[in-house]
Amino acid sequence: GPRHLATPELVTPEAIAAFAAAGGPVAYGAAHCAAIVLCLPITPLLELGAGFCFGAPAGVATVWAAKSVASVATYGIASVARPARLAAATEKVLMEQPRLRAIADDVQARGKEFTLLARLSPAPSWANNYGLALAGVEFEDYLPASVVAVLPALVAHVLV
C-alpha cells in the first residue's frame, strides 16, 4: 500500500541512525529543517538523535544550522503566503478586542524580546516560526533573537 511520511519504521532510533550514517550531517540537517518547515512532530527526536549520531559539537552544529535555516524559511513562507482573509479577520478581532490589540502592538513594537521569550518556551519550533511571522515581528528582530535563543534547548536535547 502507499507509504506515509512518518510510519513507525521510519522513526525508530535505528532508522534515524542509519539515515545519519548514510547521509551525514548535511542530509540530516536538511531532513530536520524540512521536518520543522512541514510541522512534523519528529523534530525533538531528530534533535536527540543528532547527538547520538554525530557527537556533541557536530550534533549541536547540525541542529542549530537546521533550526536557523528553518526559521528563515518558515518566516518567509508565513510572510509571503499570509492570506488577505487571515489578515482581515485578525484585524477585525483586534479592533473588537482592545486588550488583544495592545498585546499585538506590543509584540510588533518589542519583537526581539517576544521572540527571545517565545524561543525559550517549550512551544515547538514551527509554532514559534510561523506564529512570530504572522504576529508581525520584523525580520531584523526575529532572526538574531531566533538563532541565539534556540541554543539552550537544542544543546540540552543534543546532549541528552
Side-chain angles (χ1 to χ4, degrees), residues 21-22 39 41 45 50 53 71 85 96 107 110 130 132 141:
C39 308
L45 184 58
C53 294
S71 71
R85 287 180 54 186
E96 295 170 356
V107 168
R110 297 175 47 209
Y130 287 109
L132 291 164
D141 291 333

Side-chain angles (χ1 to χ4, degrees), residues 13-21 24-25 28 45-56 58-59 158:
E14 295 81 13
I16 291 172
F19 175 77
Y28 193 92
L45 184 58
L46 291 173
E47 291 177 19
L48 294 171
F52 290 111
C53 294
F54 306 117
V158 171

Side-chain angles (χ1 to χ4, degrees), residues 102-141:
I103 292 169
D105 291 345
D106 202 30
V107 168
Q108 290 176 355
R110 297 175 47 209
K112 195 173 293 179
E113 293 104 55
F114 274 95
T115 300
L116 285 167
L117 289 173
R119 294 290 183 199
L120 294 172
S121 77
S125 295
W126 61 265
N128 284 325
N129 293 346
Y130 287 109
L132 291 164
L134 292 172
V137 173
E138 295 293 330
F139 187 73
E140 50 273 354
D141 291 333

Side-chain angles (χ1 to χ4, degrees), residues 50-88:
F52 290 111
C53 294
F54 306 117
V60 167
T62 300
V63 171
W64 183 74
K67 288 179 87 102
S68 296
V69 171
S71 71
V72 171
T74 53
Y75 187 96
I77 291 167
S79 297
V80 171
R82 183 177 183 186
R85 287 180 54 186
L86 175 63

